[in-house]
Amino acid sequence: MKIVVTVKVVPDLNAPKSIDPATKRLVRTGIESQLNPYDEYALEAALQLKERLGGDTTVTLLSMIPESSKETLRKALAMGADDATVLSDGALAGADVAVTARALAAALKKIGFDLVICGGLSDDGSTGGVPGALAEHLGVPGLTNARHIEIESTGLKAQRETDTGYQVVTCPLPALVSVTMAVGEPRYASLKGIMGAKRKSVSTLSAADVGVDAKPKTELLRFAPPPVRVKARIVEAADGPSGAQAIFDFLRERKLV
Amino acid sequence: MQHVIEVVEHRGGQTRKVTFELATQARELAEKLGGTAHAVVLGNGAAQLAESLKTYPLDVVHVSEDPDVDRFLIDPTIDYVESIARATGPSVILLPNTMYGRDVASRLVARLDAGMAADVTGFEIEGGRVACIAPKLGGATITTCAFVDTDYGVVTARPNAFAAQSGGNGARVEQAAKPQSKQYVMHVESEVEEASGELGLEEAPVVVSGGRGLGGPQPFTTLLKPLADALGGAVGASRAAADAGWVPYSLQIGQTGKTVSPNLYIAVGISGAIQHKVGMRSAGTIVAVNKDASAPIAEFSDLVVVGDAFSIIPELTKLIEAAKGYIK
Ligand SMILES: Cc1cc2nc3c(=O)[nH]c(=O)nc-3n(C[C@H](O)[C@H](O)[C@H](O)COP(=O)(O)OP(=O)(O)OC[C@H]3O[C@@H](n4cnc5c(N)ncnc54)[C@H](O)[C@@H]3O)c2cc1C
């Protein structure tokens, strides 16, 4: 079985972020990049399946990133992915959900798959729109927010998180699944994995290679800093009734009780 | 884009306040765009829910109780919405920014070759175009985005960000025609409820949240629940608390949980990591109870009380209970 995991490279989660007024894109220079944490969970789910299924199951990474971010994928290869394909093209810079889904779909059709596993969202974009749109473009079942995946003779069976609990959903393969963090903590790369990753193949495709020519459907008109919050009032050493009274008085003042 | 179509999230006809917020917003936007306002209600209980939507200023409520909608995951819903959207014409499609809403929205992006705007908290009309206001980058910036080169814009709107106002002349309820029959393959085998059907976290006017500082599952029921009850609110949690198994994930607030905008958010034993902050920073008033005065949450709270939650919260609950008794 061929599993493809989509992975994005995002700026360091904890670095302060800003938008470049000229390009209206996220400033990435001077900020370390890392794998999108949600995609590490997708990869973890894929590696668990590979271990359980054995045989000729392979895990391929598919990433739409600039050439310069390729090295960040080594970590995912070190975790245990077999190889990687990078879709890299200046024409795809500034892609929104619509463009990203089209481009990834075109690449997936080219490289082939039995199961696509996506992270639930990207840390920088945070719309969570790609997996669903991608499944539509691929014309395969798209099962989102899975917290547990099993492969059975008839296809796939997953526990899918809902707002109040979960559902058990089945579908045939090929299919696309997006996962939540409940699939399990992403594994660390072993030393052997890190050494081996250097020799794993990372191939590159251009937009023309996969035949995608998509235009964004959204345009950032402007952006502004959020309204400033007045600095917090701080009440120190407020154990017990004194702390409770401080909160109560504050809520009174704001007419919240 | 001229018309506005709200896709309603519900369970067996039970819905949340956001449905009425979006119905109201659908009318406001449709007025400005010179189009019509629609709602789509699908699945078990839809007919009954459509009746309660009639008191909102919509033009048409499209209804179907087709059992396929609940038997199969999402695909039948998308077929209905796509066919209604195409029959209606260029439109803005409104969904709540919930798991369901984001799921439906993402599918429609592909089906309708649409643009998507997530976690939207306001709208502007500029030169006849719809622009969506949404906080991005963990709230570090507020963006305004327009839809371009498309007939459809799909929006997931933040619950509690828009007012709900009933009124209007009573919508027309129409049976939605079954889209061309397809072989659906994603079977919903069973549903398991983990959180009780209490007041939805997203729409609670007050949220009392607990984190790792609570040390275990029990304080969520003995400490936080009574306080939330006294304030007429709901209990939430940080990811650390959910990961530890103290509360179900459905109570988790943040980037990978729910986004809430209550009037009052009380964070108890929560440090205020960026992933937590993005889920609650738009609350009207934020109160933090934390042992550590330098916890990051102090940077975006209105009041920080430095002390032990176990000694403060029960006293606070008592004060609030007493005040309520007095007013009564
Ligand atoms: C990809 C990713 C996604 C994430 N998504 C989310 C998300 O959606 N939501 C989320 O919440 N987190 C999320 N996290 C986790 C987040 O980074 C933090 O780890 C988490 O929010 C910390 O939870 P906490 O504040 O409860 O715990 P801690 O950070 O451990 O803070 C506990 C706080 O309790 C205080 N405390 C301890 N004892 C007491 C006491 N007796 N009285 C008062 N105060 C006390 C301490 O001073 C401390 O400030 C995510 C992380 C990653 C990497």
Side-chain angles (χ1 to χ4, degrees):
Chain A
M1 182 158 86
K2 179 168 181 174
I3 304 175
V4 180
V5 178
T6 58
V7 285
K8 187 178 183 183
V9 172
V10 299
D12 177 356
L13 300 198
N14 297 311
K17 295 183 195 103
S18 60
I19 297 178
D20 179 341
T23 61
K24 295 212 180 119
R25 288 184 193 149
L26 187 58
V27 177
R28 289 176 199 269
T29 43
I31 298 181
E32 289 285 317
S33 26
Q34 65 169 83
L35 292 174
N36 173 35
Y38 305 103
D39 297 335
E40 290 190 21
Y41 289 85
L43 176 56
E44 175 59 32
L47 295 173
Q48 287 172 12
L49 279 181
K50 179 176 159 140
E51 281 162 2
R52 265 187 271 146
L53 298 170
D56 55 359
T57 301
T58 57
V59 176
T60 294
L61 307 170
L62 172 63
S63 190
M64 187 171 106
I65 46 174
E67 278 285 316
S68 56
S69 297
K70 256 164 100 169
E71 277 316 300
T72 309
L73 294 182
R74 290 285 164 204
K75 179 182 171 196
L77 292 167
M79 281 169 69
D82 296 292
D83 53 25
T85 298
V86 172
L87 179 59
S88 188
D89 204 307
L92 295 169
D96 63 354
V97 175
V99 171
T100 306
R102 272 196 190 282
L104 290 177
L108 278 161
K109 284 180 183 161
K110 176 119 185 160
I111 65 177
F113 63 92
D114 298 299
L115 177 63
V116 180
I117 307 185
C118 304
L121 73 161
S122 64
D123 183 72
D124 53 352
S126 274
T127 53
V130 169
L134 183 52
E136 286 287 334
H137 286 308
L138 293 171
V140 301
L143 204 159
T144 49
N145 300 317
R147 66 181 197 185
H148 182 76
I149 312 169
E150 273 166 52
I151 302 293
E152 301 186 325
S153 57
T154 48
L156 190 140
K157 182 174 187 172
Q159 279 181 16
R160 179 177 182 274
E161 281 178 26
T162 63
D163 267 327
T164 50
Y166 69 93
Q167 307 175 306
V168 177
V169 182
T170 57
C171 71
L173 293 172
L176 176 146
V177 181
S178 80
V179 300
T180 70
M181 291 166 86
V183 292
E185 281 303 304
R187 63 197 61 196
Y188 288 105
S190 64
L191 192 59
K192 190 162 152 258
I194 294 168
M195 299 312 289
K198 298 190 176 122
R199 291 186 304 274
K200 287 179 178 170
S201 136
V202 180
S203 52
T204 305
L205 294 171
S206 69
D209 289 337
V210 298
V212 63
D213 171 24
K215 294 223 164 43
K217 302 292 177 194
T218 45
E219 179 192 336
L220 178 59
L221 298 178
R222 59 187 168 272
F223 58 94
V228 272
R229 253 200 137 99
V230 180
K231 255 191 153 358
R233 193 185 299 173
I234 300 195
V235 185
E236 300 262 11
D239 279 341
S242 74
Q245 193 66 47
I247 300 174
F248 184 75
D249 292 345
F250 184 79
L251 297 184
R252 262 285 156 88
E253 202 180 298
R254 294 214 167 185
K255 302 199 164 44
L256 289 162
V257 287
Chain B
M1 271 165 233
Q2 194 183 358
H3 306 288
V4 185
I5 304 172
E6 168 192 17
V7 182
V8 173
E9 175 175 11
H10 71 101
R11 246 159 196 260
Q14 297 289 344
T15 196
R16 296 192 175 153
K17 206 169 96 236
V18 66
T19 293
F20 306 108
E21 293 164 5
L22 297 189
T24 310
Q25 198 55 38
R27 162 56 62 208
E28 272 184 35
L29 276 177
E31 287 296 326
K32 289 182 189 151
L33 295 166
T36 48
H38 305 247
V40 181
V41 196
L42 303 169
N44 177 31
Q48 171 210 331
L49 178 52
E51 286 305 310
S52 51
L53 271 167
K54 267 184 169 173
T55 58
Y56 283 80
L58 295 158
D59 294 299
V60 188
V61 181
H62 305 262
V63 179
S64 169
E65 294 215 345
D66 183 349
D68 278 357
V69 170
D70 297 298
R71 276 215 308 260
F72 300 98
L73 193 64
I74 207 166
D75 292 324
T77 299
I78 302 303
D79 285 345
Y80 274 102
V81 178
E82 180 189 5
S83 96
I84 291 164
R86 292 204 186 279
T88 306
S91 37
V92 178
I93 300 176
L94 295 180
L95 288 137
N97 189 45
T98 56
M99 285 177 121
Y100 171 85
R102 286 189 296 267
D103 234 21
V104 173
S106 66
R107 300 308 197 95
L108 294 173
V109 165
R111 285 289 182 95
L112 297 168
D113 208 10
M116 174 169 170
D119 199 16
V120 170
T121 56
F123 292 100
E124 279 169 19
I125 309 290
E126 296 199 355
R129 282 199 309 183
V130 180
C132 305
I133 301 167
K136 284 275 167 196
L137 304 181
T141 183
I142 310 293
T143 61
T144 305
C145 273
F147 297 113
V148 288
D149 278 334
T150 175
D151 285 340
Y152 296 95
V154 187
V155 172
T156 65
R158 183 180 291 192
N160 261 351
F162 300 96
Q165 181 78 58
S166 60
N169 301 325
R172 194 168 78 238
V173 175
E174 275 182 17
Q175 278 304 311
K178 189 162 173 77
Q180 207 188 354
S181 85
K182 274 194 202 155
Q183 191 77 51
Y184 294 119
V185 295
M186 286 195 281
H187 292 263
V188 178
E189 309 282 345
S190 60
E191 292 257 6
V192 180
E193 298 273 323
E194 289 179 320
S196 56
E198 286 178 49
L199 185 61
L201 251 188
E202 282 116 325
E203 66 188 42
V206 176
V207 175
V208 181
S209 265
R212 200 183 333 250
L214 290 183
Q218 217 164 21
F220 282 85
T221 41
T222 56
L223 224 58
L224 302 195
K225 181 73 167 63
L227 177 58
D229 286 346
L231 290 164
V235 173
S238 72
R239 171 140 210 125
D243 274 342
W246 301 342
V247 295
Y249 280 107
S250 47
L251 297 194
Q252 183 199 320
I253 287 161
Q255 190 179 38
T256 47
K258 292 184 169 134
T259 306
V260 297
S261 319
N263 300 328
L264 172 62
Y265 189 91
I266 305 185
V268 186
I270 291 180
S271 63
I274 173 107
Q275 295 90 358
H276 188 77
K277 176 180 168 188
V278 300
M280 44 64 77
R281 69 170 282 151
S282 66
T285 294
I286 300 173
V287 173
V289 177
N290 202 304
K291 269 185 177 168
D292 175 8
S294 63
I297 194 143
E299 287 157 32
F300 52 94
S301 297
D302 299 292
L303 176 72
V304 181
V305 171
V306 184
D308 176 27
F310 292 89
S311 70
I312 296 172
I313 300 300
E315 296 296 329
L316 176 59
T317 308
K318 275 190 224 157
L319 286 173
I320 292 165
E321 291 288 3
K324 283 205 306 202
Y326 181 70
I327 292 161
K328 266 188 229 150

